[in-house]
Amino acid sequence: MSKPDNEEPAEEDVYAACTSAPLSSYKLHHAASVRDVSSYWSKLATAKLEWFSPFPSGSALTGALEDGSASWFSGGRLNVCHNAVDRYCSSPYDRGNETAILWEGDEPTSVVRVTYDELRKEVCRVANALVRCGVRRGDVVTLYMPMVPELAMTMLACARIGAVHSVIFAGFSADAIADRIHDAGSMWVVTASAGSRGGRSLPLKSICDAAIGKERCAGIVKKVLVFDGRGEGGDAWEGIEGVHVRFTPLVASMRPACPCEWMDAEDPLFILYTSGSTGKPKGQSGRPERGGVCDRDETTLARIGRRRYALFAMVTTANSFGLAQQTGPSDPNAPHKDVYACVADAGWITGHTYIVYGPLLNGLSTLMFESTPVYPDCGRYWDMVQRHKITVFYTAPTAIRSLMRFGDDPPKRYDLSSLRVLGTVGEPINPAAWKWYYDVIGNGRCSVVDTYWQTETGGHVITNLPGITPMKPGSCTLPCYGIDLAVLDATTGKEITSSPAEGVLAIRQPWPGMARTCLGDHQRYLAVYMKPYPGYYFTGDGCRRDSDGYIWITGRVDDVLNVSGHRIGTAEVESALVAHEAVAQAAVVGIPHEIKGQGICCYATLVEGYPETDILIKELFLQVRTHIGPFATPDMIIINGALPMTRSGKIMRRILRKIASSELDTIGDTSTLSDPLVVDELILKVAKFQ
Ligand code: WTA
């Protein structure tokens, strides 16, 4: 992780939350919520969502965590799009004229407001156009789109007609898209001719075309539906007759009304790919044809989100950002007080839950941001806060750390007084970045919510609550309502009930946001999450719990890296490298990185006869970018004649990690290695690289 400054702060570093409600009320409420999770979530499901037919009373939760059969509200039928859009257009909410989506394009001057009424009509048009093209209930629709309102509209249109969306982050390469289309058997792909980011054009349609041109997609994709880009000349693109559909004019020609499909709460809503651990002991899946070059499988797994996830998205958005008292169905006539901005990308779970579903399910106005924090300059976020009077601002520690480098002056040029809550997500935040966010951005007035969660959890599972939980910089604090957290001894699997404690983080009872399976591989799902510690959902994260019960995430304990808040499996990068003909063996480890939290260090050995040249190294960097995407670009690639292996032939990643991080004094015993001299060779090479 970023620095060893994730340490418990001194007493004076405990910050009071910015409004006052006693922590004891949280504790009582939380204890009650986990005493009977079924009844807790069932009451909320009835109160917060509109159902076409209710789930049978008394059986909100059935099945068990152990075998992955836990299901929520099964038998109840609802439509997520109806709950997120339609209901706010009519009585008792009557928010049809209020802003649903506030789009800020790449250029600060390109701002578009979409009201709830307009959103309903547009979503219906997109839904009708999808149906016209042949999409049916249960079909998987792949979305490879820029951060434009059409992306949210298409997600909601899928939800409306019972299709399953699979959004692929626009930074992924053609190879990665092809894998995902193939895995999901997705017959439909929605893209845009181009997007823009940081003043540069993103050729999304061409990347999609390259993906569907790959052999593994042949015969799968029926149609590519192409929105015109929002910039000038966005409609100037060529397509293949019968494959590409000009989607913008087709959508415009559709009727602005489309009935909702009423879906079971357990029907899939979306597929989202993310890196995971292999779930099998390392070294068991050799690739014999290359002499065991990569000793693990690729680890990208598709998690399936169910329709009942809507409840979790809605409730956690309201609680974690302190909306509960301000808006929402409990007080339908309360005026909107919040302008909510999550500046993530909708291609990740943060965008799904906290840009699209969570805010809209609460009837909020949500910002969609197409650009980067430094375009046209490093004041972009703060300029947006001032212009739109943003009240809730949610970003990642990496962004905060990178903006901190520019000093306090850029934010001080803007009026940030509208801010009420500042959120962070995706990785541990180091106390120095936390304090900068709190002092310079929040002017010491705002709650900083450090939200811990995962793609698999669907929404926040640990966070402080604004105005309620006293904050400690660097700690995500206490579990959310309805989340029954446990800290387990990593070796024995026994629960540690006393505090302080150190162990791995687990969850004891199901919750409605949880993913139920991995696409096409339920056994893998069980192996990764349910089997490591029977009776618990295993997060893959290590943690400490301090004497106040506060949780401090210490980072992944499996083979997953967290680079700028993006999850990247070390095995994915290794597979990309060994796919190059010159690479015989690859091993990838994480290294501390000041801005990104973690960086990627790759070690490789070459096939006989391939010399180590600068050109080859450049090719290997490119290899990872094209196989996965630019966000996975390695920080170092070290080539050597051999890697440290045990005598039984297992690569010693622990030692590689120490060498890469220059933690040479804790390398430990190397005498069991088949060739201990390799360690000295690697130490020299890493030192040269740095
Ligand atoms: C890490 C992102 C510390 C953690 C929402 C987790 C965090 C992984 C935090 C999930 C946080 C996320 N503090 N670590 N507040 N939030 N993580 O699936 O290691 O992309 O397991 O979901 O990010 O990453 P994912």
Side-chain angles (χ1 to χ4, degrees):
M1 295 294 101
S2 48
K3 275 191 195 157
D5 60 357
N6 222 1
E7 279 167 10
E8 230 170 285
E11 244 345 82
E12 64 272 19
D13 275 352
V14 176
Y15 290 68
C18 293
T19 55
S20 54
L23 185 62
S24 55
S25 72
Y26 156 82
K27 287 191 173 157
L28 283 176
H29 195 109
H30 181 263
S33 72
V34 295
R35 204 169 301 128
D36 183 351
V37 286
S38 176
S39 137
Y40 175 75
W41 289 112
S42 139
K43 281 186 201 134
L44 281 172
T46 308
K48 302 276 179 193
L49 294 174
E50 291 186 2
W51 296 80
F52 180 69
S53 55
F55 47 92
S57 67
S59 59
L61 171 64
T62 53
L65 209 54
E66 283 88 333
D67 60 359
S69 64
S71 74
W72 285 97
F73 319 129
S74 199
R77 290 199 297 153
L78 80 169
N79 186 286
V80 178
C81 180
H82 167 84
N83 277 284
V85 184
D86 296 43
R87 68 164 154 168
Y88 289 113
C89 297
S90 52
S91 172
Y93 305 97
D94 292 322
R95 293 192 185 147
N97 291 328
E98 288 180 26
T99 305
I101 295 177
L102 171 56
W103 179 68
E104 166 114 358
D106 197 32
E107 297 302 329
T109 47
S110 44
V111 173
V112 172
R113 282 174 189 277
V114 184
T115 65
Y116 271 91
D117 264 339
E118 288 163 348
L119 182 61
R120 180 176 50 80
K121 288 182 188 151
E122 279 311 303
V123 168
C124 286
R125 287 196 175 98
V126 176
N128 285 327
L130 289 172
V131 172
R132 169 71 67 87
C133 292
V135 179
R136 296 289 174 265
R137 185 181 168 126
D139 285 355
V140 176
V141 181
T142 298
L143 273 59
Y144 188 66
M145 302 267 294
M147 276 293 288
V148 292
E150 289 83 350
L151 169 55
M153 288 165 184
T154 311
M155 292 166 75
L156 292 162
C158 289
R160 191 172 192 94
I161 61 174
V164 179
H165 57 72
S166 168
V167 182
I168 302 181
F169 170 56
F172 274 111
S173 65
D175 262 320
I177 304 171
D179 289 344
R180 287 153 175 71
I181 289 175
H182 173 263
D183 273 8
S186 174
M187 296 183 285
W188 322 100
V189 178
V190 184
T191 187
S193 62
S196 326
R197 206 151 183 269
R200 283 189 315 202
S201 174
L202 301 177
L204 298 178
K205 174 181 169 289
S206 321
I207 300 173
C208 253
D209 287 348
I212 58 167
K214 307 227 175 237
E215 215 177 291
R216 55 195 181 285
C217 290
I220 296 181
V221 176
K222 286 194 175 157
K223 285 208 161 47
V224 182
L225 317 175
V226 188
F227 278 107
D228 294 339
R230 277 194 168 251
E232 220 171 285
D235 57 352
W237 53 270
E238 310 260 301
I240 303 169
E241 184 84 40
V243 176
H244 294 98
V245 175
R246 287 201 168 269
F247 210 44
T248 302
L250 181 68
V251 167
S253 70
M254 292 286 130
R255 274 177 2 103
C258 167
C260 288
E261 284 279 333
W262 297 101
M263 309 296 289
D264 192 281
E266 278 290 335
D267 280 335
L269 173 65
F270 62 84
I271 296 177
L272 197 55
Y273 285 79
T274 185
S275 304
S277 72
T278 57
K280 25 176 120 162
K282 290 166 191 164
Q284 292 207 344
S285 59
R287 302 226 321 234
E289 77 279 14
R290 301 282 293 276
V293 279
C294 175
D295 62 358
R296 291 174 289 164
D297 276 356
E298 284 197 59
T299 56
T300 306
L301 299 176
R303 274 71 177 184
I304 298 187
R306 308 293 174 134
R307 308 251 157 189
R308 38 85 170 155
Y309 141 100
L311 178 68
F312 198 63
M314 179 177 179
V315 169
T316 52
T317 306
N319 289 342
S320 307
F321 301 112
L323 311 175
Q325 310 87 347
Q326 310 207 13
T327 75
S330 55
D331 182 5
N333 299 317
H336 256 309
K337 290 195 182 138
D338 277 303
V339 180
Y340 170 96
C342 167
V343 289
D345 191 286
W348 305 108
I349 190 68
T350 304
H352 278 54
T353 309
Y354 298 110
I355 295 177
V356 180
Y357 288 112
L360 295 177
L361 281 158
N362 280 288
L364 271 179
S365 128
T366 184
L367 181 101
M368 282 186 85
F369 178 53
E370 191 183 25
S371 195
T372 81
V374 290
Y375 183 77
D377 60 48
C378 63
R380 180 65 185 269
Y381 280 166
W382 324 128
D383 177 36
M384 277 197 310
V385 169
Q386 174 177 293
R387 274 187 289 116
H388 302 307
K389 299 202 169 26
I390 289 168
T391 60
V392 178
F393 184 78
Y394 191 27
T395 189
T398 296
I400 300 166
R401 285 192 293 265
S402 66
L403 293 173
M404 248 173 96
R405 282 188 311 171
F406 297 100
D408 299 0
D409 283 346
K412 291 220 159 114
R413 274 182 231 128
Y414 299 93
D415 175 8
L416 305 180
S417 60
S418 57
L419 288 169
R420 182 174 65 76
V421 176
L422 300 170
T424 84
V425 56
E427 43 178 323
I429 179 163
N430 48 307
W434 191 101
K435 284 181 186 158
W436 188 80
Y437 203 29
Y438 179 80
D439 289 332
V440 179
I441 306 306
N443 201 13
R445 296 178 303 101
C446 301
S447 295
V448 174
V449 290
D450 179 350
T451 60
Y452 166 87
W453 58 297
Q454 312 178 292
T455 306
E456 302 74 347
T457 65
H460 304 157
V461 288
I462 311 179
T463 179
N464 48 310
L465 301 178
I468 298 175
T469 324
M471 303 171 282
K472 296 189 190 186
S475 166
C476 51
T477 77
L478 301 170
C480 296
Y481 296 134
I483 297 296
D484 193 6
L485 215 63
V487 177
L488 310 179
D489 180 287
T491 323
T492 62
K494 289 236 161 63
E495 192 170 330
I496 312 174
T497 47
S498 59
S499 294
E502 178 133 21
V504 292
L505 191 65
I507 302 177
R508 202 186 286 111
Q509 299 187 65
W511 65 100
M514 68 185 297
R516 264 286 294 278
T517 192
C518 295
L519 183 67
D521 200 349
H522 194 60
Q523 287 311 316
R524 185 91 169 260
Y525 170 83
L526 296 178
V528 171
Y529 306 107
M530 304 307 175
K531 295 219 167 117
Y533 298 101
Y536 298 89
Y537 164 87
F538 173 49
T539 60
D541 283 303
C543 72
R544 283 187 304 115
R545 188 172 54 207
D546 70 16
S547 46
D548 293 329
Y550 276 44
I551 301 287
W552 301 74
I553 303 292
T554 49
R556 303 285 308 193
V557 293
D558 54 14
D559 40 18
V560 175
L561 306 181
N562 190 331
V563 179
S564 302
H566 298 319
R567 266 164 72 165
I568 300 171
T570 51
E572 285 169 78
V573 183
E574 290 167 9
S575 304
L577 288 168
V578 297
H580 190 288
E581 57 180 12
V583 176
Q585 228 178 5
V588 169
V589 298
I591 42 172
H593 190 287
E594 210 180 314
I595 304 287
K596 299 195 284 188
Q598 263 190 319
I600 302 178
C601 172
C602 309
Y603 295 91
T605 63
L606 300 183
V607 171
E608 266 308 297
Y610 280 90
E612 177 190 339
T613 60
D614 287 351
I615 296 182
L616 175 66
I617 300 214
K618 272 200 194 122
E619 272 176 33
L620 295 183
F621 276 102
L622 195 65
Q623 176 84 5
V624 179
R625 291 172 68 95
T626 47
H627 268 248
I628 307 174
F631 63 92
T633 305
D635 294 85
M636 289 199 246
I637 297 183
I638 308 284
I639 307 237
N640 198 41
L643 299 181
M645 312 271 262
T646 59
R647 287 176 209 276
S648 61
K650 267 210 258 172
I651 298 176
M652 294 291 286
R653 287 186 172 71
R654 183 184 58 78
I655 291 182
L656 290 174
R657 221 172 283 131
K658 298 275 179 195
I659 299 174
S661 320
S662 306
E663 291 171 13
L664 304 182
D665 47 338
T666 51
I667 268 188
D669 183 15
T670 54
S671 61
T672 55
L673 297 178
S674 59
D675 180 3
L677 289 181
V678 169
V679 172
D680 297 330
E681 289 167 16
L682 289 175
I683 290 174
L684 279 178
K685 291 200 171 169
V686 168
K688 260 196 222 147
F689 210 104
Q690 288 162 341

